[in-house]
Amino acid sequence: MQDLDTQIWDNSKPILEIENLSISFFTRLREIPAVMDFSCTVMPGEAMGLVGESGCGKSTVALGVMRDLGKNGRIVGGTIRFKGRDLTTMSEEELRHIRGSEIAMIYQEPMASLNPAMKIGAQLAEVPMIHRDMGKAEAWALARQIVADVRLPDPDRILQAYPHQLSGGQQQRIVIAMALMSKPALLILDEPTTALDVTVEAGIVDLVKDLGEKYGTSMLFISHNLGLVLDVCDRLCVMYSGEAVETGNVEEVFNEMRHPYTQALFRSIPLPGADKTTRPLVPIPGNFPLPHERPPGCNFGPRCDYFKKGLCDAQEIPMLAVPDGDRHATRCLRFQEIDWDAPLKAPKTVEKTPVGDVVLRMEDLRKYYNVSSGAFGGGSTKVVKANETLSFEAREGETLAIVGESGCGKSTFAKVLMGLETATSGKIFLYNQDIQDTPIEKRSTDTVSSVQMVFQNPFDTLNPSMTVGRQIIRALEIFQEGADDAARKARMLELLDLVKLPRAFADRMPRQLSGGQKQRVGIARAFAGGAKIVVADEPVSALDVSVQAAVTDLLMEIQRKNRTTLLFISHDLSIVRYLSDRVMVMYLGHVVELGTTDQVFSPPYHPYTEALLSAVPIADTRVKKKRIVLEGDIPSAMNPPPGCPFQTRCRWKAQVPGNLCDTVVPPLKTLESGHQIKCHLSDEILRGMEPVITIAAE
Amino acid sequence: MDELSWGQILARMAWQFWPVWIALAATFALSITFRRRLGLYGKLFDSPIGMVGFGIVMFWVFTALFADMIITFDPLAQLSGLKNKLPGTPVPGQEGAYYLLGGDSLARDVFSRMVMGARRVLAIAPAATTFAFMVGITLGLPAGYFGGKLDTAISFLANLVLAFPVILLFYLLVTPEIRVTGIPVILAAVLFIFPVIFFTVLWNSRYFTDPKRRNLYVGITLVLGLWAYSGLAFNADPLGVWSMDPNLLNVFVSVVFVNAPTVFRIVRGIVMDLKARDYVAAGQTRGEGPWYIMLWEILPNARGPLIVDFCLRIGYTTILLGTLGFFGLGVSPESPDWGSTIDDGRRLLAIYPHPAIVPALALMSLVLGLNLLADGLREESLRD
Amino acid sequence: MLFFVLRRLAVMLATALCLTFIVFFMTNLPPNLEKLAKSEASARMSDAEVESWLEKNGFGQPVLQRYGEWLGVLPGWTVTEEGRTRGRCFARGQTDAPRFCGVLQGEWGYSSVFRTEVSEVIGRSLGATAWLMLWVMIVMVPTALLLGVLSGMREGSRTDRVLSTAAIASTATPEYVSGVVLIAAFGSATAGLSPILADWGWIEGRTLFLGTATSAMDQITFWNFALPVITIALYGIGYIARMTRASMTEVMTQQYIRTARLKGVGFRQVVMRHALRNALIAPFTVIMLQFPWLLNGVVIVETLFNYKGFGWTLVQAASNNDIELLLACSVVAVLVVLVTQLISDIGYVFLNPRIRLA
């Protein structure tokens, strides 16, 4: 065993070689194949991306490599060679020596992956103590050094801390540090940044890339985010329904994809240039097949535009090498017949909706909470300023996007608008009627039904023990729609039509629906009372990319039909650019920038918007981004910095004379045509800003 | 006649239970055939533990139902010469009749008393548990949902009851003296009103948009509920259908009183967890009243843990009733109920163990069955 | 931290006051007092005579005032009759007395059953029960934790199935059942193991274990104490083991356990270093909250085995209408429960690093 550690691996041979791997899970009823005939090779120092939607088997591959499939999972075929040794036949004892020392893994939920009852230092030092018989003092010294390497401030304090005392970003850095403690040859990252905010994610991605180069570690990077894969990886493997469908060099796959699924995936994500009226997204039709209901032949067949009966469904399809490619392969029989550069077939364009009168106006809205610190209600009370001087208006038929990361106050704002909380001060006008002091139980049915909400989490938005139809009918009852039960039932079926769900779904329970379908029911329920204003709180962020496009499309369509005002809360700037008319950027309860989509996405920026734009990964090789990585984490809303809320992380702070940023909250200044920015920077400096994103000419 | 051997005793007992075997076989055959269509109940038959538990529980349920057909002697009859006789003793003067499990210190048939005891236990325990759940749910929902002062107040009261050692509470609550003061009736008046409140609020919150239907459901609930209420709590039913023996009322009320705070705590905990869900927020944003959200959005989703706890709690209530019997509290001395039979039998335990052992094993098997059933349900409800 | 403890103490005090008042009220109900009067004076008193006896002996005042006197915050009652002053605080035959004589002054009253000071009865019986509890704890806690951890660390394994079924069976067996079964099996001269062993000549006496624990009042031996201890412990073992198992299985599915495993930590180390501390937080609370249950068991077992401890005393007091003694028993019981609750709360905070107090 020990010789493996010291042995220098020949760099021309692959570190990891997976061949025809098949993994199944066994339940009481049947065997469920999770991964089938999967092959991939990772060379030393190479970063391999595994991309696909949820349920495609990408995480199972990672766990298969770690041989940690739980009680029900089993490798049913193929080999996994790590440095030439087959992991599938290794004993537990041999595996134990490899895990953590040669192969390390980083997970999605940093908080959950750290032991809450052990100090950080002990958790880190454990690794070399197990694998290299290192003494305690030496191991702690090493831990201290690695903690500094992952760019955490004050390593000594952090080593003595418990996980809950660190922020999410810091925790993830600790998990990375733990993985690097024994300088592994292979690092597996399973959605390492999904739980983090975008600006924090950017820092982690940078760190991973740098460390990968510094230590020469190979990486298996699992993500659903194509943009992130482009940022991090050299090669990628696209998975669909348990199979690899396309693999190759990242640039090559992005620019010259040779599988219909990869193509459909790219067409369904909002890249720069997509627009809701002129170049709408193309959703992938149909649904992801359930593991035990996969079609014969090509798994993607039923959803594929190029499907040919008798060919695609007649045989098992092998991976075929793409000629002249850099180890580029695709699982498509027709890849040489398809014209990959053909433009989209007559994309359906729609009229831009004209914007009507102001329906909603907020003036200087503030919402403060009193919270008592301490777990048992003792101690002093603190004021959390969730919303500070919020002023804007929204017009009929308009989409106003509200952008910000966690703790920016967007959810509080939604609660106040809905009447679940009342404002501390300020005014909310709904059709010139002020409602800021009217809690929801005092609002008229009309007011309630005209302001509705679509929720974020599809698994939570529907009551799991009520049928879909019943839930919509209940909304109709409460909004006093329809004269009797029959009328309401008819209206419910119409609403199902509206959201493009089969009428048979009325009798289904929510657990029988997929995430996207549940979200559609949520939309139908929100529009049950003919809502005029709909607050959509991250309605698609929990959905898979291909479903996101369809749900977004649906929202837009209903909006056009009903001339609804849509308040679209999101942290995803790509989708915001795609669908919104105007954008409001929030940070720690303040509106820092407000303007039309074009104004916000092009200079001059508020420094925070600039960083946010730079942080969002974009899956387009033509896009060149300016790299702006923000230092540190978002301050807690309990304890905001004095002066400008963004001053602790602002890279432009030096350009403002004196200590203005430290002491004075900047005024909201209006630039040309209503574009508002809350910043102390002078007009010249603002004018001199360069665009963050440029699209290289083709 | 000779005494029976143990094999013969078992064979004769098995024969006596014939209606139970038939009913059990029918239940299992039907349930296993249709288990895919029966939801959680059907899934129970995928778990061996759950099935065993269900089988034991149903055995006792059917025994209670068919007790009249199973018993071999009147459980209260004292036959001379059979005092403390061992199991399998022939009854003099009656050809082919035996005291299958022997006679007790008053020369009564232990077997028949055990069978009749099942009827008594299974009549009180589930009913008392149901009332405790009604009280616990009706108080736990608002405490968990609203929180604040209301929660503090109810929780304080619940903790007050929980801090009492159960036995002490029984010694204070279940005495002949206390019946004179009317405290059991007051307690009953408070505790028994909860089901009526529960169902009235349940229908009203759901159907207030449709006054005609609301009035119908609420009306039926109030008429039926208050009718039963007047009979059970005050023994003042004008038609004389509902009534409860004051002795029994005392026991019943005390058991409900002891169980309700625990149910309250469980419900409160679940509600605090579930109220953060988006579907609750969706209800709030469409202007639903708090009781609709509690009763129709939250409660149905809390059913899993509540059903499991219901099974466990019936078992626990059975133990409590046994404890009461064991201390000779609140039940008539003639009663065949298991707890008091154990109490009777323990005096001569070292010499004649059988009169105490038989009801002890019966009680243990019923509680074991309920616990296994709860365990099976828990396991199956956690799956997928 | 201090603030938290003070707050808890305040709540505890309020609870104790409420509970003692309830007990006081319930034990001093008119029928009980009537019974007392008849047993103290004469069984054939008329209603009017009872009334006047009660009046003369200080039971005529409002219940709240009598509670205050019993507690020792109000001055004790006095009656001057034929030039002689009697009163609550007067020792028999004495002519002068302190103004206050309640529980707070250490005056617990006089037991009508045992004909001696209540404090003496309580002290003696608590001592006996303490031995019982000590042995129960020594047997119960390690066994339960071991069983729970063993069955929880590999959920669904054969060990788990066997151990959890055993745990369920033991929680399904209340003390009065297991006590009866154990006595029949090991302590009966006519049934179970003892006659067989006696036949073979393996035991000297007639039974293997003693069916009563009365002799343990003088000297505790394995043979007279094992059955009562096991009877109480059995019920608790099942309950705590199930809690530990639930907590352990939950911890074993946590992401950080996977992290530890994939760090290359061996299974034994995963359990010992990573899982155990997190898994024992919940059972700790459960063990502490077991005390009210144990008290139940103690009462049943002491009655069944005729061991004259606290539980036995409580039963004697309750069934003989010994009001002062029953009150004292209740106060002790309630205090034990409240103190263990406090310990469990504070201990939870210490065990769980995630909770930090302001």
Side-chain angles (χ1 to χ4, degrees):
Chain A
M1 291 316 309
Q2 289 305 314
D3 59 343
L4 246 181
D5 290 337
T6 45
Q7 186 181 333
I8 293 161
W9 186 250
D10 176 359
N11 273 352
S12 64
K13 286 199 216 147
I15 285 280
L16 181 73
E17 225 180 339
I18 304 179
E19 262 174 49
N20 311 103
L21 179 70
S22 295
I23 298 173
S24 287
F25 287 94
F26 293 84
T27 68
R28 260 192 316 225
L29 298 178
R30 55 174 82 86
E31 172 188 351
I32 295 176
V35 174
M36 292 159 305
D37 188 28
F38 179 88
S39 304
C40 91
T41 308
V42 182
M43 299 299 286
E46 199 172 64
M48 176 78 169
L50 271 185
V51 197
E53 298 173 86
S54 55
C56 72
K58 52 190 194 300
S59 296
T60 312
V61 170
L63 292 177
V65 173
M66 290 307 257
R67 284 277 309 279
D68 190 57
L69 291 163
K71 269 187 301 200
N72 302 323
R74 213 179 307 150
I75 294 174
V76 289
T79 56
I80 304 169
R81 263 176 226 291
F82 174 73
K83 289 189 176 173
R85 302 174 33 159
D86 190 354
L87 292 173
T88 57
T89 55
M90 262 188 206
S91 72
E92 268 305 308
E93 192 52 28
E94 287 171 301
L95 280 170
R96 204 168 66 70
H97 285 287
I98 287 191
R99 288 173 180 163
S101 74
E102 295 271 320
I103 310 178
M105 189 156 175
I106 294 167
Y107 317 85
Q108 184 167 352
E109 290 280 345
M111 179 68 194
S113 31
L114 294 172
N115 189 334
M118 259 170 104
K119 284 186 181 165
I120 298 285
Q123 300 193 44
L124 289 174
E126 198 179 29
V127 179
M129 283 161 78
I130 298 169
H131 292 292
R132 286 195 256 157
D133 294 328
M134 206 182 259
K136 194 174 169 192
E138 206 186 335
W140 276 68
L142 180 66
R144 196 192 172 285
Q145 185 205 326
I146 304 268
V147 168
D149 263 9
V150 294
R151 298 177 211 152
L152 279 170
D154 201 355
D156 292 311
R157 186 185 62 82
I158 285 191
L159 288 182
Q160 292 298 331
Y162 285 102
H164 68 277
Q165 293 165 323
L166 307 181
S167 71
Q170 290 175 325
Q171 285 168 357
Q172 193 59 297
R173 283 169 197 262
I174 291 297
V175 176
I176 293 173
M178 195 151 71
L180 294 173
M181 280 303 282
S182 62
K183 308 215 170 32
L186 176 67
L187 193 56
I188 301 177
L189 302 101
D190 188 357
E191 307 260 12
T193 56
T194 312
L196 303 175
D197 277 313
V198 208
T199 52
V200 181
E201 171 185 84
I204 298 279
V205 167
D206 254 27
L207 175 71
V208 167
K209 276 200 300 194
D210 290 356
L211 292 177
E213 272 160 37
K214 181 172 166 190
Y215 292 106
T217 314
S218 307
M219 283 191 271
L220 194 59
F221 188 90
I222 296 165
S223 181
H224 65 282
N225 189 329
L226 287 166
L228 214 52
V229 169
L230 176 65
D231 267 1
V232 178
C233 300
D234 310 308
R235 302 181 57 78
L236 96 167
C237 177
V238 183
M239 291 188 72
Y240 180 80
S241 191
E243 290 176 330
V245 291
E246 185 165 6
T247 174
N249 178 309
V250 167
E251 299 262 331
E252 201 172 308
V253 173
F254 273 53
N255 296 332
E256 298 164 41
M257 57 208 68
R258 286 295 174 266
H259 192 279
Y261 174 65
T262 318
Q263 189 188 41
L265 208 54
F266 274 96
R267 285 181 177 170
S268 67
I269 56 176
L271 296 175
D275 182 277
K276 62 175 165 179
T277 47
T278 53
R279 258 197 62 191
L281 303 180
V282 188
I284 305 177
N287 274 314
F288 204 78
L290 291 174
H292 53 277
E293 289 169 0
R294 292 195 177 109
C298 178
N299 281 341
F300 188 60
R303 304 173 75 186
C304 181
D305 288 342
Y306 309 103
F307 179 72
K308 198 166 168 188
K309 216 171 153 37
L311 176 74
C312 297
D313 56 0
Q315 55 197 300
E316 287 297 310
I317 295 153
M319 280 303 256
L320 304 167
V322 175
D324 310 324
D326 169 20
R327 292 187 280 149
H328 189 172
T330 171
R331 201 181 284 273
C332 180
L333 292 173
R334 306 189 62 210
F335 79 95
Q336 281 174 314
E337 305 163 27
I338 296 169
D339 178 9
W340 294 100
D341 297 323
L344 268 175
K345 271 176 282 170
K348 72 167 185 212
T349 58
V350 283
E351 284 290 296
K352 198 169 160 52
T353 352
V355 169
D357 294 335
V358 174
V359 291
L360 175 75
R361 192 150 50 91
M362 296 220 175
E363 278 176 15
D364 266 350
L365 186 82
R366 283 168 211 256
K367 176 67 193 172
Y368 294 172
Y369 289 104
N370 287 319
V371 260
S372 49
S373 48
F376 292 91
S380 56
T381 51
K382 274 185 175 171
V383 176
V384 173
K385 299 178 177 174
N387 284 152
E388 274 277 30
T389 57
L390 208 60
S391 302
F392 70 91
E393 45 187 49
R395 291 164 183 277
E396 189 187 58
E398 181 185 51
T399 307
L400 172 66
I402 300 164
V403 180
E405 297 174 279
S406 57
C408 74
K410 46 191 185 172
S411 306
T412 307
F413 149 77
K415 277 186 190 156
V416 173
L417 174 60
M418 304 301 299
L420 297 180
E421 312 256 3
T422 49
T424 310
S425 70
K427 300 251 180 244
I428 306 175
F429 291 100
L430 183 68
Y431 295 110
N432 293 322
Q433 175 194 4
D434 59 350
I435 56 167
Q436 71 280 357
D437 295 326
T438 327
I440 191 150
E441 55 268 30
K442 298 225 177 79
R443 292 184 180 182
S444 68
T445 311
D446 230 27
T447 314
V448 171
S449 64
S450 63
V451 188
Q452 279 297 299
M453 190 155 172
V454 176
F455 293 89
Q456 173 174 12
N457 187 347
F459 299 96
D460 231 27
T461 185
L462 299 183
N463 186 336
S465 43
M466 227 190 258
T467 63
V468 166
R470 183 64 233 148
Q471 305 203 28
I472 299 177
I473 288 181
R474 179 64 194 179
L476 292 170
E477 281 173 4
I478 205 87
F479 294 149
Q480 294 165 13
E481 297 273 324
D484 52 17
D485 283 359
R488 280 192 284 268
K489 176 133 204 266
R491 177 84 186 110
M492 179 268 290
L493 293 174
E494 278 170 36
L495 281 166
L496 283 183
D497 294 344
L498 179 74
V499 295
K500 296 179 181 149
L501 287 175
R503 289 187 163 202
F505 273 37
D507 297 322
R508 299 237 178 129
M509 295 306 266
R511 66 186 140 79
Q512 295 166 294
L513 271 57
S514 70
Q517 289 165 339
K518 282 183 202 168
Q519 213 53 326
R520 283 166 192 265
V521 177
I523 294 172
R525 192 176 56 185
F527 281 93
K532 288 291 161 211
I533 299 174
V534 168
V535 181
D537 186 359
E538 311 248 9
V540 295
S541 63
L543 301 176
D544 276 319
V545 272
S546 69
V547 185
Q548 276 187 9
V551 173
T552 315
D553 235 31
L554 176 76
L555 262 178
M556 299 282 96
E557 200 181 311
I558 300 177
Q559 181 192 25
R560 272 194 294 275
K561 218 180 280 175
N562 299 6
R563 299 191 44 77
T564 318
T565 307
L566 192 63
L567 299 183
F568 191 91
I569 300 177
S570 181
H571 69 276
D572 182 351
L573 283 177
S574 311
I575 199 122
V576 164
R577 174 172 38 207
Y578 168 70
L579 59 73
S580 59
D581 301 310
R582 290 197 301 138
V583 179
M584 179 162 104
V585 183
M586 290 183 73
Y587 188 80
L588 279 184
H590 291 260
V591 177
V592 295
E593 186 166 359
L594 175 65
T596 64
T597 309
D598 287 341
Q599 285 168 344
V600 172
F601 280 81
S602 53
Y605 305 107
H606 184 277
Y608 173 62
T609 317
E610 183 192 33
L612 206 55
L613 278 171
S614 153
V616 177
I618 298 172
D620 194 331
T621 49
R622 294 166 303 152
V623 168
K624 294 283 163 279
K625 273 195 306 189
K626 207 155 79 180
R627 202 86 192 125
I628 305 164
V629 174
L630 291 182
E631 288 297 315
D633 289 309
I634 304 169
S636 147
M638 296 263 263
N639 207 351
C644 173
F646 189 57
Q647 51 115 338
T648 51
R649 301 167 82 196
C650 184
R651 69 178 191 125
W652 295 86
K653 195 174 162 188
Q655 312 277 339
V656 177
N659 57 356
L660 214 50
C661 294
D662 292 316
T663 49
V664 183
V665 179
L668 198 60
K669 71 171 98 179
T670 308
L671 308 175
E672 73 274 18
S673 57
H675 184 196
Q676 297 176 315
I677 289 182
K678 198 180 242 181
C679 188
H680 285 304
L681 285 175
S682 67
D683 287 354
E684 292 124 77
I685 297 176
L686 285 175
R687 254 195 304 279
M689 279 186 174
E690 289 168 11
V692 178
I693 297 174
T694 44
I695 301 179
E698 286 183 36
Chain B
M1 280 186 296
D2 292 335
E3 285 189 11
L4 297 177
S5 71
W6 275 107
Q8 285 169 308
I9 293 174
L10 288 178
R12 279 177 179 255
M13 280 207 298
W15 170 248
Q16 277 313 118
F17 278 113
W18 67 267
V20 173
W21 304 131
I22 293 175
L24 268 184
T27 312
F28 270 83
L30 284 174
S31 304
I32 290 178
T33 318
F34 297 110
R35 65 177 160 177
R36 292 281 162 256
R37 281 192 254 159
L38 291 171
L40 181 60
Y41 169 74
K43 274 201 266 172
L44 192 61
F45 292 88
D46 289 329
S47 142
I49 289 217
M51 240 187 332
V52 170
F54 180 72
I56 299 177
V57 173
M58 287 321 283
F59 172 83
W60 286 111
V61 169
F62 289 130
T63 304
L65 279 178
F66 302 123
D68 291 325
M69 298 157 81
I70 299 169
I71 52 170
T72 46
F73 290 92
D74 176 0
L76 300 181
Q78 308 180 2
L79 301 187
S80 61
L82 287 169
K83 187 174 162 187
N84 289 330
K85 281 289 177 270
L86 290 179
T89 308
V91 175
Q94 290 182 44
E95 191 56 37
Y98 294 87
Y99 264 19
L100 286 175
L101 291 174
D104 66 5
S105 56
L106 291 173
R108 295 170 297 195
D109 180 26
V110 171
F111 174 74
S112 301
R113 285 181 71 75
M114 183 265 288
V115 170
M116 266 306 173
R119 177 171 278 190
R120 225 184 127 72
V121 168
L122 281 164
I124 305 176
T129 311
T130 312
F131 272 90
F133 262 75
M134 285 283 139
V135 177
I137 288 173
T138 316
L139 292 177
L141 286 174
Y145 186 74
F146 294 118
K149 291 217 169 62
L150 180 78
D151 180 27
T152 316
I154 309 182
S155 294
F156 181 76
L157 288 180
N159 288 337
L160 220 53
V161 179
L162 287 175
F164 256 115
V166 183
I167 297 232
L168 182 62
L169 206 61
F170 281 158
Y171 263 119
L172 294 175
L173 273 181
V174 193
T175 55
E177 288 81 35
I178 204 165
R179 238 169 287 139
V180 184
T181 62
I183 287 180
V185 177
I186 298 170
L187 268 181
V190 174
L191 295 176
F192 289 0
I193 196 72
F194 278 99
V196 184
I197 298 178
F198 178 83
F199 282 104
T200 309
V201 177
L202 184 77
W203 300 128
N204 184 51
S205 64
R206 165 83 175 263
Y207 293 112
F208 73 94
T209 52
D210 182 356
K212 250 196 313 192
R213 200 179 304 175
R214 187 258 315 258
N215 294 345
L216 176 72
Y217 288 153
V218 170
I220 293 177
T221 307
L222 285 178
V223 168
L224 283 179
L226 293 178
W227 178 32
Y229 178 66
S230 65
L232 295 179
F234 303 109
N235 210 357
D237 175 11
L239 302 177
V241 176
W242 300 97
S243 70
M244 211 186 247
D245 167 50
N247 229 333
L248 182 62
L249 181 80
N250 201 177
V251 171
F252 196 88
V253 165
S254 319
V255 172
V256 173
F257 189 69
V258 170
N259 270 321
T262 325
V263 180
F264 162 83
R265 286 236 285 221
I266 295 171
V267 174
R268 176 176 167 270
I270 301 176
V271 172
M272 299 228 284
D273 174 32
L274 289 183
K275 76 172 173 185
R277 301 293 162 96
D278 277 351
Y279 55 83
V280 172
Q284 289 167 336
T285 57
R286 64 171 185 264
E288 298 280 12
W291 283 100
Y292 177 86
I293 293 178
M294 285 181 243
L295 291 168
W296 292 93
E297 301 274 358
I298 294 178
L299 190 58
N301 295 305
R303 65 178 186 273
L306 289 185
I307 291 174
V308 171
D309 188 68
F310 188 72
C311 291
L312 284 177
R313 203 148 291 283
I314 295 179
Y316 177 59
T317 309
T318 310
I319 293 182
L320 281 186
L321 290 172
T323 312
L324 278 171
F326 182 77
F327 286 106
L329 292 172
V331 278
S332 55
E334 287 280 88
S335 157
D337 115 82
W338 292 339
S340 32
T341 320
I342 297 174
D343 184 37
D344 290 344
R346 76 184 165 92
R347 291 175 221 291
L348 293 171
L349 193 58
I351 308 156
Y352 303 113
H354 64 271
I357 285 282
V358 170
L361 291 180
L363 188 136
M364 186 185 133
S365 69
L366 172 62
V367 179
L368 178 65
L370 284 162
N371 280 350
L372 291 175
L373 175 63
D375 212 53
L377 282 173
R378 188 198 339 256
E379 210 166 277
E380 290 305 312
S381 67
L382 286 183
R383 232 169 255 205
D384 72 46
Chain C
M1 187 71 203
L2 191 68
F3 184 83
F4 165 68
V5 175
L6 286 179
R7 238 175 75 108
R8 290 290 325 189
L9 280 173
V11 174
M12 187 177 132
L13 200 67
T15 317
L17 280 178
C18 286
L19 287 176
T20 46
F21 177 71
I22 294 171
V23 177
F24 188 86
F25 177 78
M26 302 283 286
T27 46
N28 281 276
L29 288 171
N32 297 32
L33 293 181
E34 193 187 318
K35 227 162 98 180
L36 179 74
K38 286 184 173 165
S39 64
E40 290 292 292
S42 144
R44 283 186 295 280
M45 284 199 290
S46 71
D47 283 359
E49 281 169 326
V50 167
E51 195 78 5
S52 84
W53 187 89
L54 289 177
E55 196 66 44
K56 270 192 245 167
N57 286 285
F59 294 104
Q61 301 149 298
V63 68
L64 211 59
Q65 177 165 1
R66 280 194 284 130
Y67 174 67
E69 289 174 13
W70 173 79
L71 202 60
V73 293
L74 293 178
W77 56 270
T78 50
V79 183
T80 311
E81 208 172 37
E82 299 158 8
R84 284 193 56 200
T85 308
R86 293 191 301 114
R88 179 186 163 81
C89 304
F90 291 77
R92 304 217 155 179
Q94 240 36 77
T95 47
D96 60 34
R99 252 161 68 72
F100 296 95
C101 57
V103 173
L104 294 179
Q105 285 79 28
E107 295 293 328
W108 292 83
Y110 189 78
S111 159
S112 62
V113 177
F114 296 97
R115 300 285 160 196
T116 171
E117 289 294 317
V118 164
S119 45
E120 195 190 316
V121 180
I122 292 282
R124 199 174 23 163
S125 61
L126 270 183
T129 298
W131 280 109
L132 185 60
M133 292 295 256
L134 176 70
W135 283 106
V136 168
M137 283 294 173
I138 289 174
V139 173
M140 180 175 76
V141 174
T143 321
L145 292 184
L146 190 67
L147 288 182
V149 169
L150 280 180
S151 71
M153 70 187 191
R154 290 186 202 269
E155 196 190 357
S157 66
R158 181 171 307 192
T159 328
D160 177 29
R161 294 255 169 243
V162 172
L163 291 182
S164 22
T165 313
I168 291 176
S170 95
T171 44
T173 319
E175 292 89 351
Y176 53 88
V177 169
S178 51
V180 163
V181 173
L182 285 175
I183 292 179
F186 303 110
S188 161
T190 55
L193 213 53
S194 306
I196 303 173
L197 292 180
D199 271 359
W200 292 348
W202 287 19
I203 49 173
E204 284 176 16
R206 292 175 57 224
T207 58
L208 180 59
F209 289 94
L210 291 185
T212 85
T214 321
S215 58
M217 296 293 294
D218 304 323
Q219 199 195 355
I220 294 172
T221 65
F222 178 70
W223 303 107
N224 63 21
F225 222 46
L227 288 187
V229 167
I230 291 173
T231 306
I232 302 182
L234 211 56
Y235 189 58
I237 284 176
Y239 191 68
I240 300 176
R242 280 175 62 131
M243 286 293 156
T244 315
R245 173 184 181 269
S247 172
M248 190 73 190
T249 48
E250 198 201 311
V251 167
M252 288 307 280
T253 57
Q254 294 292 313
Q255 184 94 58
Y256 57 79
I257 294 298
R258 169 173 278 180
T259 310
R261 206 166 52 226
L262 298 192
K263 254 192 317 199
V265 183
F267 185 76
R268 183 185 295 263
Q269 283 297 310
V270 167
V271 172
M272 300 296 285
R273 273 175 68 92
H274 291 265
L276 218 49
R277 177 164 174 195
N278 290 298
L280 289 186
I281 295 173
F284 169 77
T285 333
V286 173
I287 294 173
M288 279 300 157
L289 296 180
Q290 271 286 306
F291 270 91
W293 295 119
L294 287 180
L295 213 58
N296 249 355
V298 164
V299 175
I300 294 173
V301 165
E302 288 184 359
T303 310
L304 190 63
F305 288 89
N306 209 14
Y307 181 73
K308 296 186 175 56
F310 180 72
W312 182 85
T313 310
L314 195 152
V315 172
Q316 294 305 316
S319 39
N320 293 309
N321 198 37
D322 188 344
I323 294 179
E324 305 261 76
L325 184 58
L326 185 56
L327 266 172
C329 284
S330 314
V331 172
V332 171
V334 163
L335 279 183
V336 167
V337 171
L338 292 178
V339 168
T340 48
Q341 274 178 4
L342 184 73
I343 295 177
S344 102
D345 277 359
I346 296 175
Y348 186 75
V349 172
F350 274 108
L351 278 178
N352 194 343
R354 266 171 289 190
I355 297 180
R356 276 286 167 265
L357 299 156

